[in-house]
Amino acid sequence: MLSVGGAVRSGVLQLPVRLSGLGTLSGLGTLSGLGTLSGLGTLSGLGSPSGIGTLSGLGRLSGLGRLSGLGRLSGLGTLSGLGTLSGLERLSGVRRLSGGAGAAGWYGSLSDSAPVHLCEHFLVSVHQVSGLPWWLSIIAATLSVRTLITLPLATYQMVVIAKVEALQAEISELAKRLRGEVSFRAKEKGWTEKQSRFQFKKNLRRIVSQLYIRDNCHPFKASLLVWVQLPLWISLSLALRNLSLDQSVLQADLSAGGALWFPDLTLPDPTWILPICLGLTNLLIVEVFSLQRVNPSRFQKVVTNSIRAFSVLMIPIAATVPSSMALYWFTSSLVGFSHNLVLRSPAIHKILKLQTVRSEFPYRDLLSAFISKYCK
């Protein structure tokens, strides 16, 4: 039986003034009212430590059911196997938090994935190599990614779409001939209208597929840009979020790395200027694409309206995330819009040897269409 400034009653150690230099405390039911626990090697098998002012210098806490009411946990190497961490004012210097409810879920796995960490290293490298402030580093990184990765894919997408459009006249002619052949065979073999329609569609799909193979322009290749750009956008967004919210030296740099009305990149833009600029840019991109369609189908109208609604929804979303993310989103949209305008240039079409007929004055025609649709 051990008594240090108190008494032992029914397996409960109450009101000691100080415990220090102990190697191990194990098998205790409850520790309550302690002023300070310091220099402990391991605490294991505890039911519930409560009311503790400070825990410092601990090598490892493991197997705890619940830690509640703690003022501060600092300098911990690993926290593992915890059921709940609640009421913590601050958790700093922790290398790893595993087994808790906060680390679970698909979002935690995604933000801790390899592509996100790779984007973090890329952003930090751009900042360190360029020596630019963080807001300019984010713009430079966005410009380089959009120019070196997505611009070539957008160019390839335009080439594929141009080839598909050039095939439409040939496909239309072959469809007329195929319809005549199917009609002749239907009379010869006594096919019903349903059977004739089935044979026509089946053979037309085969012919069109052969044409796509011949010209190397399957429409699925035009979607390659989306399959690369969307994961890249998500990874860079989560990388900036991690850098902005992690308690680290980089987080401190980002907090002082803003400019103008957003001096702190770790906080949302209080003026909403970045979110509104993002929404207006996205809406402008949608309208430019909609002006390209002379007679849009019902499905195309539904898709366009859905994208418009999403562009508006992005404004309040961008107002709740760190300014670093909102700046990246706005810069990415602005660069994408600029690339779209560049790819409309007749000089680019001549270089790419596009076969479809294009306007000699695309920018003037685009401005005229915009004015006639929205200003009259």
Side-chain angles (χ1 to χ4, degrees):
M1 185 174 295
L2 175 64
S3 175
V4 182
V8 178
R9 299 176 182 175
S10 302
V12 178
L13 182 62
Q14 296 184 338
L15 301 178
V17 176
R18 182 180 182 92
L19 288 174
S20 60
L22 299 181
T24 302
L25 285 175
S26 60
L28 300 180
T30 303
L31 286 174
S32 61
L34 300 182
T36 302
L37 285 175
S38 59
L40 301 181
T42 303
L43 286 173
S44 59
L46 300 179
S48 176
S50 59
I52 298 174
T54 303
L55 286 174
S56 59
L58 302 180
R60 182 170 182 175
L61 289 173
S62 60
L64 301 180
R66 183 172 182 180
L67 287 173
S68 60
L70 301 180
R72 182 173 180 180
L73 286 173
S74 59
L76 301 180
T78 303
L79 288 173
S80 59
L82 302 180
T84 305
L85 285 172
S86 60
L88 299 180
E89 179 182 349
R90 186 176 181 187
L91 189 66
S92 60
V94 180
R95 290 200 308 266
R96 183 181 178 188
L97 180 63
S98 61
W106 63 270
Y107 182 80
S109 300
L110 183 61
S111 60
D112 196 36
S113 61
V116 174
H117 290 315
L118 185 62
C119 289
E120 290 177 12
H121 293 313
F122 168 70
L123 291 167
V124 173
S125 299
V126 170
H127 174 64
Q128 292 176 346
V129 171
S130 65
L132 298 171
W134 262 109
W135 69 276
L136 271 178
S137 298
I138 293 172
I139 293 176
T142 306
L143 183 61
S144 61
V145 168
R146 292 301 301 256
T147 302
L148 299 177
I149 299 178
T150 59
L151 179 58
L153 291 175
T155 305
Y156 179 70
Q157 181 188 56
M158 188 174 65
V159 171
V160 171
I161 293 175
K163 288 183 178 180
V164 172
E165 291 178 355
L167 284 175
Q168 296 309 306
E170 185 176 357
I171 291 174
S172 179
E173 182 63 27
L174 291 174
K176 291 179 181 178
R177 292 170 53 185
L178 178 62
R179 187 173 286 107
E181 292 179 6
V182 171
S183 178
F184 178 78
R185 288 291 182 90
K187 293 177 181 179
E188 186 181 59
K189 297 187 176 183
W191 289 343
T192 63
E193 183 180 353
K194 184 177 180 180
Q195 290 174 324
S196 300
R197 190 164 52 250
F198 172 78
Q199 290 295 330
F200 172 76
K201 291 182 178 180
K202 184 180 74 172
N203 285 278
L204 182 62
R205 283 195 300 268
R206 177 179 56 81
I207 292 172
V208 171
S209 179
Q210 290 174 351
L211 292 175
Y212 288 156
I213 294 173
R214 184 195 70 185
D215 291 356
N216 190 25
C217 62
H218 195 283
F220 179 77
K221 294 182 178 180
S223 66
L224 183 62
L225 174 63
V226 177
W227 295 111
V228 173
Q229 184 174 340
L230 184 59
L232 187 60
W233 183 84
I234 294 174
S235 297
L236 282 170
S237 299
L238 291 177
L240 284 169
R241 183 186 181 278
N242 291 346
L243 293 175
S244 300
L245 299 183
D246 285 348
Q247 299 292 330
S248 62
V249 177
L250 290 176
Q251 192 266 351
D253 291 342
L254 279 165
S255 65
L260 302 175
W261 66 90
F262 53 97
D264 191 343
L265 291 174
T266 65
L267 298 177
D269 182 3
T271 64
W272 281 52
I273 294 178
L274 282 176
I276 292 175
C277 290
L278 169 66
L280 293 177
T281 304
N282 288 337
L283 286 174
L284 184 60
I285 294 172
V286 175
E287 299 313 312
V288 168
F289 274 105
S290 67
L291 292 174
Q292 297 178 3
R293 302 186 179 97
V294 179
N295 295 312
S297 63
R298 183 178 179 181
F299 176 75
Q300 288 175 334
K301 291 180 180 179
V302 171
V303 172
T304 301
N305 290 330
S306 299
I307 298 176
R308 286 192 182 106
F310 180 75
S311 299
V312 174
L313 181 63
M314 282 296 294
I315 296 177
I317 293 176
T320 61
V321 301
S323 297
S324 59
M325 292 177 65
L327 178 62
Y328 163 64
W329 291 349
F330 171 58
T331 306
S332 180
S333 296
L334 195 61
V335 172
F337 178 66
S338 302
H339 288 169
N340 180 266
L341 294 179
V342 170
L343 292 177
R344 289 173 173 269
S345 171
I348 298 296
H349 292 175
K350 290 179 182 179
I351 293 174
L352 298 175
K353 299 179 180 180
L354 300 182
Q355 300 176 9
T356 53
V357 179
R358 301 286 179 176
S359 172
E360 292 295 328
F361 307 99
Y363 306 117
R364 186 184 66 183
D365 295 343
L366 181 63
L367 181 60
S368 299
F370 188 87
I371 293 174
S372 63
K373 183 176 181 180
Y374 298 104
C375 300
K376 289 185 179 180

